[in-house]
């Protein structure tokens, strides 16, 4: 671990400060008389204050050596000249150098105490009215409030940027609220581990059986399991998990859970033979999705008589002859309000979707095409010859700073102006996003959902695509026939073999599928690097930027973190003409391939055609075009044509993407994929991961690794169960509707 350097002194000047996140560049006059540059999250810092910064030295391409601070100790200035520098820096609204001089001349070393405790004494200074004195006092008190919040967090080694988040969430009362209930820190908006919040609470004297502690633990378990894909937890499992987390008896946990249910923060409902406990927003999303889908299912289509003739005309127009299942799908699109189309690679999903698009055009329907990710939307546009958007962009997503949740401009109050919506890669769509999409559809809108049901489920909560299919409520067409041309692809043959539990054929390296046996991680990694750097570009004519390396895991000797470091050095090595930026342990370099790792709804982007929008989402990939000479800004070009400027505070949202996990690659297709298949965590050694990996390659797939791993993954069809009530709700609402119809007929 890198040894930290400590610098102590007085802030000489502030070169740059971002008021939103506290990122700062300053000059520090050390006790030894040197002036050094310090960078990091140092909110509200001003000349004159004392600072002790600990961190690591790094070399900036323009400004030279600077200390990137990771730990800070701060104290207010004490002598009159330091106080004058501090006050005149602009930390208080309405106080410039002239006013600061008059205040310091009057009160001397006691100035800061008087500003905070006796601000009415400012009235005694000529030129300061009672109103102005009040404004100065309020500004200074807000400033001091944020400093105290940072000092409180620093006691527990929590970063200063967290103070900025807390201030945005809870305003001036943030410190008081966190002292009263430290478990606020474990909320999604703050991201502090429950164990850390619990340690703070215990240090403040909260009892182990306090209601806020146990309630926070219950909410944490539900939120934590949402990140594992669960929409709800059965009551007994939630109680057991919370008891283990707190190491306590069941009674206080039951009391806390009942209190949360009483207040409406948690909803308990008997679903699928269990007492299901939901976070309220997930319960509302599931209920809304079921209700609105039922409305779409009940809509009567009126094009059934002309459907067969229309499909024949489309076949002639496009020069294709549909297989029976493809024909069925296009005809059903004319007759059904909601249709699911699913199938593996080579089964003709793209041809069928083109047919549905042509059908809707002939019917005079205004339609929109959408997909969960930018890359999937771009591919959908290319294959359908019609513009497709991400679902987030289609719905007009924005970020609500108060709720820390995304909000959409398109809802039932302002629905989409569309008669038909086609969504691709539905296996990636989680419950909250699906619910938001349904809210934006007018009654009678046709909905076609396309995807591969055998791929991995969504990263977010729910198993929407599978639930819809298994509910039996939505008309579903399964494309199972692999077309003759597709059968010539070893990638497709092996993918279907894996889906049936058979290992891929590894003996014959030919066509578009190659296997290189490497049973040691070091050899596997070096082979992957060699393939990307020389063998595939030189021997197969595939440029390195069209090769995507995949691995089931992030960590470990052949995980994406290790692979990215090796590939960066091989494909984009250090060069005098390429600027670099070190952020923590991550090194970014001009020309690097990067991926966005979380949704950021505030990033402004533009395209060459002049269109402008906001929002870069988890999984979006691009390249660092330029690092500003100041080192504070990066220009990124994303694969779908969007360009955006990032500040250094957003670097935590980026990671290198020469290699990505199979989960992150879901929904994307690459000209060439290289899969590092080495032993990994048991939960990743499953058929779904291998099948998803194999189906990412369009022209060439090279598997490097251990053949025993591939056999084991193909044989292991273990799927993690996800607790979701959508399938049950849809099935039961269908039974209720059928019963109502029968009763009506009998009457």
């Amino acid at each position: 671990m890198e040894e930290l350097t400590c610098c102590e002194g007085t802030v000489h000047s502030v070169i740059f400060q971002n008021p939103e996140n506290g990122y700062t560049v300053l000059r520090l006059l050390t006790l030894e008389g040197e002036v050094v540059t310090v960078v990091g999250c140092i909110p509200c810092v001003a000349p004159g204050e004392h600072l002790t910064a600990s961190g690591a030295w790094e070399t900036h391409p323009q400004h030279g050596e600077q200390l990137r601070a990771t730990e800070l100790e701060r104290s207010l200035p004490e002598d009159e000249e330091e106080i004058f520098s501090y006050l005149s820096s602009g930390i208080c609204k309405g106080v410039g150098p002239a006013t600061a001089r008059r205040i310091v001349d009057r009160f001397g070393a006691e100035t800061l105490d008087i500003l905070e405790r006796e601000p009415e004494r400012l009235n005694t200074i000529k030129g300061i009215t009672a109103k102005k004195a009040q404004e100065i006092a309020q500004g200074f008190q807000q400033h001091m409030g944020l400093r105290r919040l940072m000092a409180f967090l620093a006691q527990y080694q929590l970063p200063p940027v967290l103070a900025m988040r807390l201030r945005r969430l809870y305003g001036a009362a943030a410190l008081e609220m966190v002292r009263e209930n430290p478990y606020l820190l474990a909320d999604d908006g703050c991201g502090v581990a429950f164990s850390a919040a619990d340690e703070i609470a215990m240090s403040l004297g909260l009892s182990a059986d306090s209601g806020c502690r146990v309630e926070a633990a219950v909410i944490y378990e539900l939120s934590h399991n949402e990140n594992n894909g669960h929409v709800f937890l059965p009551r007994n499992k939630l109680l057991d998990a919370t008891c283990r987390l707190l190491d306590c008896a069941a009674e206080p946990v039951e009391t806390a859970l009942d209190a949360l249910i009483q207040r409406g923060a948690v909803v308990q409902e008997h679903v699928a033979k269990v007492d299901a406990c939901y976070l309220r927003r997930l319960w509302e999303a599931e209920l809304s999705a079921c209700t609105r889908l039922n409305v779409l299912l009940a809509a009567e289509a009126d094009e059934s008589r002309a459907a067969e003739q229309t499909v024949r005309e489309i076949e002639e127009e496009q020069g294709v002859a549909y297989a029976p299942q493809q024909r069925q799908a296009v005809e059903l699109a004319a007759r059904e309000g909601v249709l699911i189309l699913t199938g593996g690679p080579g089964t003709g999903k793209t041809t069928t979707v083109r047919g549905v698009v042509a059908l809707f055009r002939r019917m005079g329907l205004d339609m929109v095409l959408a997909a969960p990710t930018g890359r999937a939307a771009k591919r959908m546009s290319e294959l359908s010859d019609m513009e497709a958007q991400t679902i987030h962009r289609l719905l007009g997503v924005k970020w609500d700073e108060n709720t820390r949740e995304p909000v959409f401009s398109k809802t039932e109050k302002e629905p989409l102006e569309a008669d038909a919506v086609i969504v691709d890669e539905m296996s990636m769509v989680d419950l909250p996003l699906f619910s938001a999409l349904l809210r934006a559809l007018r009654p009678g809108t046709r909905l076609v959902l396309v995807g591969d049901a055998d791929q991995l489920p969504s990263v977010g909560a729910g198993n929407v695509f599978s639930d819809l299919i298994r509910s039996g409520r939505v008309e579903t067409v399964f494309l199972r026939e692999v077309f003759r041309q597709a059968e010539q692809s070893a990638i497709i043959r092996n993918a279907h073999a894996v889906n049936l539990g058979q290992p891929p054929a590894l003996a014959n390296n030919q066509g578009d599928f190659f296997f290189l046996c490497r049973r040691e991680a070091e050899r596997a990694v070096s082979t992957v690097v060699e393939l990307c750097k020389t063998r595939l570009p030189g021997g197969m004519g595939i440029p390195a930027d069209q090769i995507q390396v995949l691995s089931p895991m992030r960590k470990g000797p052949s995980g994406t973190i290790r692979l990215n470091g090796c590939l960066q050095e091989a494909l984009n090595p250090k060069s005098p003409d390429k600027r670099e930026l070190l952020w923590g342990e991550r090194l970014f370099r001009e020309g690097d391939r990067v991926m966005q790792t979380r949704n950021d709804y505030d990033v402004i982007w533009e395209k060459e055609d002049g269109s402008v929008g906001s929002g870069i989402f988890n999984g979006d990939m691009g390249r660092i075009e330029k690092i500003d000479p100041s080192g504070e800004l990066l220009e990124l070009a994303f694969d779908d044509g969007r360009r955006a400027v990032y500040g250094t505070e957003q670097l935590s949202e980026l990671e290198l993407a020469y290699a990505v996990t199979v989960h992150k690659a879901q929904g994307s297709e690459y000209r060439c994929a290289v899969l590092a298949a080495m032993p990994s965590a048991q939960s990743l050694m499953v058929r779904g991961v291998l099948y998803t990996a194999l189906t990412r390659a369009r022209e060439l797939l090279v598997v490097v690794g251990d053949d025993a791993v591939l056999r084991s993954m193909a044989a292991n069809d273990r799927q993690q169960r996800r607790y979701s009530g959508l399938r049950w709700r849809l099935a039961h609402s269908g039974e209720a509707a059928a019963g109502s119809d029968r009763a009506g007929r009998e009457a």
Side-chain angles (χ1 to χ4, degrees), residues 453-653:
D454 294 313
Q455 285 188 27
L456 294 169
S458 60
V459 174
N463 202 357
V464 172
F465 198 46
S466 176
D467 282 351
L468 295 177
I469 293 170
R470 293 186 301 146
S471 73
R473 290 293 316 287
V474 184
E475 193 71 57
T476 302
V477 177
F478 296 88
L479 300 179
R480 293 191 171 94
E481 179 185 349
V482 179
F483 288 91
R484 190 174 304 164
Q485 184 177 355
E487 280 184 330
Q488 297 172 9
S489 164
I491 294 174
I492 291 176
R493 290 200 306 273
N494 280 318
H496 284 281
V498 166
N499 208 21
L500 295 172
Q502 303 163 8
L506 306 177
N508 300 318
N509 279 339
Q510 58 183 351
D512 57 4
F513 184 99
F514 291 81
F515 172 68
L516 303 176
C517 186
R518 303 288 187 271
R519 295 196 173 97
E520 297 173 359
E522 286 298 323
R523 286 195 66 210
V525 170
S526 63
T527 300
V528 168
V529 172
E530 184 186 353
L531 283 166
C532 295
K533 184 178 181 181
T534 56
R535 290 174 64 175
L536 292 175
M540 306 289 286
I542 301 176
D545 62 3
Q546 295 182 27
I547 302 168
Q548 183 60 61
V549 175
L550 307 174
S551 173
M553 55 192 167
R554 273 177 53 78
K555 299 179 180 178
S558 61
T560 58
I561 295 174
R562 172 87 196 289
L563 285 165
N564 271 316
C566 297
L567 289 165
Q568 182 188 45
E569 283 308 303
L571 303 179
N572 190 31
K574 188 178 182 68
S575 168
D577 60 350
K578 291 180 182 177
R579 294 193 183 96
E580 296 180 348
L581 185 58
L582 185 66
W583 182 256
E585 296 180 356
R586 302 179 190 181
L587 175 66
F588 295 102
R589 184 178 291 140
E590 288 178 339
D592 274 339
R593 187 151 182 74
V594 292
M595 173 184 278
Q596 180 81 6
T597 59
R598 74 174 184 84
N599 293 343
D600 190 329
Y601 304 93
D602 296 327
V603 177
I604 305 297
W605 53 260
E606 62 179 341
K607 290 187 174 182
E608 287 186 1
D609 62 7
S611 58
V612 177
S614 65
I616 302 291
F617 302 104
N618 188 1
D620 286 352
M621 295 175 70
R623 192 170 301 279
I624 298 175
E625 294 278 293
K626 180 182 177 183
I627 297 176
D628 188 78
S630 69
E632 312 306 333
L633 299 173
L634 294 85
E635 294 180 18
L636 277 74
F638 288 91
D639 290 350
D640 59 2
R642 292 174 298 167
R643 305 180 75 87
V645 176
Y646 276 42
T648 49
E649 71 277 3
Q650 292 160 300
L651 289 181
S652 61
E653 302 172 3

Side-chain angles (χ1 to χ4, degrees), residues 166-207:
L166 289 167
R167 174 58 72 90
R168 282 198 297 269
L169 284 169
Y170 305 116
L175 178 55
E176 182 182 339
M177 292 176 69
V178 170
R179 281 185 179 279
E180 187 177 324
N181 181 8
Y183 298 102
L184 293 173
L185 296 169
D187 286 351
D188 286 344
C190 298
V192 175
F194 180 85
S195 57
D198 200 34
E199 186 179 333
I200 294 171
M202 296 297 101
S203 73
L204 293 174
L206 270 73
S207 63

Side-chain angles (χ1 to χ4, degrees), residues 43-63:
C44 304
V45 70
E49 71 174 279
H50 301 157
L51 184 70
T52 302
S54 298
W57 289 106
E58 60 185 32
T59 303
H60 189 280
Q62 183 181 11
H63 303 303

Side-chain angles (χ1 to χ4, degrees), residues 714-730:
N716 185 2
D717 194 27
R718 178 174 167 269
Q719 298 177 14
Q720 181 191 12
R721 179 181 179 183
R722 289 190 168 196
Y723 290 109
S724 162
L726 183 60
R727 174 191 174 192
W728 179 87
R729 289 184 195 280
L730 286 169

Side-chain angles (χ1 to χ4, degrees), residues 72 79 112 141 157 188 252 322 347 360 441 460 507 543 568 572 613 663 683 688 725 746:
L72 297 164
D79 70 43
L112 300 183
Q141 285 162 5
Q157 288 76 53
D188 286 344
Y322 292 135
T347 57
F360 285 165
L441 303 185
Q568 182 188 45
N572 190 31
H663 281 82
S683 61
E746 289 168 4

